Amino acid sequence: VLQGLYNLCGRRRHRQIEANLQARRSGDTAHGTAGIPGGRENYPVNTPPPGKCGHQVAGSVFQGTGGVAGIVLHIETMKTRRLPQPFRLPQGCVSHRDGRKPLLRYREQVVDVPVTVHTGTRAAALGGYTAVACRSTPEMVMDNQTVVQFIRRRAARDGVVRVFPVGAVTKRMEGGELADMGELAAAGALAVSDDVRPIHNAAVMRRALLYAKDFELPVFSFPQDPELAADGVMHEGFYSTQLGLPAVPSVAEEVVTAREVILADALGRSVHLSPVSCAESVDIVRYARRRKIPLSAEVTPHNLLLTDADCSGYATEAKVSPPLRSERDRKELVRAVADGAIAVIASDHSPC
């Protein structure tokens, strides 16, 4: 009897995974988005999605002379404005958002207003984003279907834009035993990532790529060698020496970036670097794209706008990971975004 029940559950799970994969292939939920191989495409704000993955934002598209005049999201208390001239506004997707556990409200506060799924997704909508990719955190690791389903239920109940859970690559994000990616895919995970905890073991990363391919899950990699980065708090250069602070050399990012390119090329599996911050990493990404290797990369807005010079005076607000790099690195990142070598700009908003 027990064996029969086990076989029945196994068949149901297999059918669920196959249905999800078939839906992705047919275009119901996926087409590849933001340059991430195997990623999903968001729906226009006025198009209801198949199934539920967070609330869809209802909206209206107004046709004006010469094109779309504007998009108005129907969210409570949101005001409608008449646009001065017609223009097209593409929808946005926050691809790197650490929402923290919905119950741990103290993790992120602005003027003592707790940020929850509702307020966080509402803020995304007000900023023009119709979807949010929510990654694991140390407080809530999405390494099993229970947690992924909890995030989806909470998003469906409280969210005002679509919320896509990003599962963990390894259990408890410890970089050792792989999470059950088939279970995560069946529960509705968009991709897998250990967030800012790099997978330093190349053998584990190789197995993760092989395993994730079976379920068409892109693997996000944080390109930083923990041993080379050690206890660094800023970019290694003139300003770190001047301030006397431990630093993170660019090579800590380069070696992992190069490793992911080699693995993606050898296995034919999709890897997304999340994010890159130095010129040398951009060179490696350009090499991969020339070779048609299934690899993509993202960059953060602060790495496009600021440099390690902004850490002068021990400015703690400039302490980020990966660190702000040199002016040469910043200019190369801007060029990479302009020519398409880097396909994604991610907010990388991680409350602390």
Side-chain angles (χ1 to χ4, degrees), residues 146-328:
T146 302
V147 183
V148 173
Q149 290 170 350
F150 169 77
I151 294 294
R152 286 167 57 90
R153 286 195 300 268
R154 183 60 62 89
R157 190 189 72 181
D158 300 333
V160 296
V161 300
R162 303 188 77 192
V163 176
F164 294 104
V166 176
V169 178
T170 60
K171 291 187 176 180
R172 297 173 295 280
M173 295 198 303
E174 294 177 348
E177 184 181 358
L178 293 179
D180 190 335
M181 296 185 192
E183 186 178 280
L184 297 177
L190 170 75
V192 288
S193 167
D194 275 358
D195 198 35
V196 294
R197 294 190 178 183
I199 302 175
H200 60 276
N201 190 319
V204 173
M205 185 62 180
R206 181 178 182 274
R207 289 197 298 271
L209 291 173
L210 291 170
Y211 190 15
K213 180 64 176 179
D214 294 337
F215 306 101
E216 299 181 5
L217 289 175
V219 178
F220 290 12
S221 171
F222 181 64
Q224 181 170 285
D225 186 291
E227 295 171 347
L228 288 172
D231 297 323
V233 296
M234 65 175 297
H235 172 63
E236 184 179 77
F238 170 79
Y239 292 99
S240 65
T241 303
Q242 183 185 62
L243 297 172
L245 294 174
V248 180
S250 297
V251 69
E253 181 175 298
E254 294 173 53
V255 294
V256 178
T257 301
R259 183 196 74 180
E260 310 304 37
V261 169
I262 294 170
L263 288 175
D265 188 24
L267 303 174
R269 303 312 198 237
S270 300
V271 181
H272 179 69
L273 301 175
S274 173
V276 296
S277 64
C278 60
E280 291 78 10
S281 294
V282 172
D283 291 339
I284 298 172
V285 171
R286 291 186 193 280
Y287 165 81
R289 292 179 69 85
R290 288 196 300 270
R291 292 280 301 272
K292 307 297 183 183
I293 297 173
L295 178 132
S296 59
E298 69 184 43
V299 65
T300 64
H302 41 273
N303 282 108
L304 293 173
L305 300 172
L306 306 175
T307 68
D308 58 343
D310 293 290
C311 295
S312 298
Y314 301 97
T316 55
E317 65 271 16
K319 180 178 179 291
V320 293
S321 179
L324 300 175
R325 301 290 184 180
S326 67
E327 178 64 14
R328 181 181 75 89

Side-chain angles (χ1 to χ4, degrees), residues 5-232:
L5 290 173
Y6 177 81
N7 292 338
L8 177 61
C9 292
R11 287 196 298 272
R12 286 179 177 174
R13 179 183 170 195
H14 178 74
R15 285 197 297 269
Q16 186 178 10
I17 293 173
E18 285 298 317
N20 285 354
L21 294 180
Q22 185 60 37
R24 295 187 198 180
R25 297 189 188 105
S26 64
D28 288 344
T29 60
H31 290 297
T33 181
I36 301 175
R40 300 184 187 178
E41 185 177 80
N42 304 314
Y43 291 86
V45 293
N46 60 333
T47 304
K52 291 185 178 180
C53 188
H55 286 320
Q56 184 70 12
V57 180
S60 300
V61 179
F62 294 94
Q63 186 73 26
T65 304
V68 176
I71 299 175
V72 176
L73 304 180
H74 303 324
I75 302 177
E76 56 182 354
T77 74
M78 184 180 287
K79 297 181 179 180
T80 302
R81 291 185 180 182
R82 185 177 183 83
L83 302 179
Q85 58 184 3
F87 71 96
R88 290 183 182 275
L89 179 66
Q91 63 180 335
C93 174
V94 182
S95 67
H96 193 161
R97 174 68 170 90
D98 294 338
R100 303 299 178 186
K101 185 175 180 179
L103 301 180
L104 297 180
R105 299 184 176 186
Y106 66 89
R107 292 291 302 187
E108 180 182 343
Q109 293 186 351
V110 179
V111 197
D112 296 326
V113 178
V115 173
T116 62
V117 169
H118 174 71
T119 57
T121 54
R122 188 172 184 276
L126 288 168
Y129 294 92
T130 63
V132 175
C134 179
R135 304 193 188 187
S136 295
T137 67
E139 296 88 357
M140 177 169 282
V141 181
M142 287 184 274
D143 58 0
N144 60 77
Q145 65 178 355
T146 302
V147 183
V148 173
Q149 290 170 350
F150 169 77
I151 294 294
R152 286 167 57 90
R153 286 195 300 268
R154 183 60 62 89
R157 190 189 72 181
D158 300 333
V160 296
V161 300
R162 303 188 77 192
V163 176
F164 294 104
V166 176
V169 178
T170 60
K171 291 187 176 180
R172 297 173 295 280
M173 295 198 303
E174 294 177 348
E177 184 181 358
L178 293 179
D180 190 335
M181 296 185 192
E183 186 178 280
L184 297 177
L190 170 75
V192 288
S193 167
D194 275 358
D195 198 35
V196 294
R197 294 190 178 183
I199 302 175
H200 60 276
N201 190 319
V204 173
M205 185 62 180
R206 181 178 182 274
R207 289 197 298 271
L209 291 173
L210 291 170
Y211 190 15
K213 180 64 176 179
D214 294 337
F215 306 101
E216 299 181 5
L217 289 175
V219 178
F220 290 12
S221 171
F222 181 64
Q224 181 170 285
D225 186 291
E227 295 171 347
L228 288 172
D231 297 323

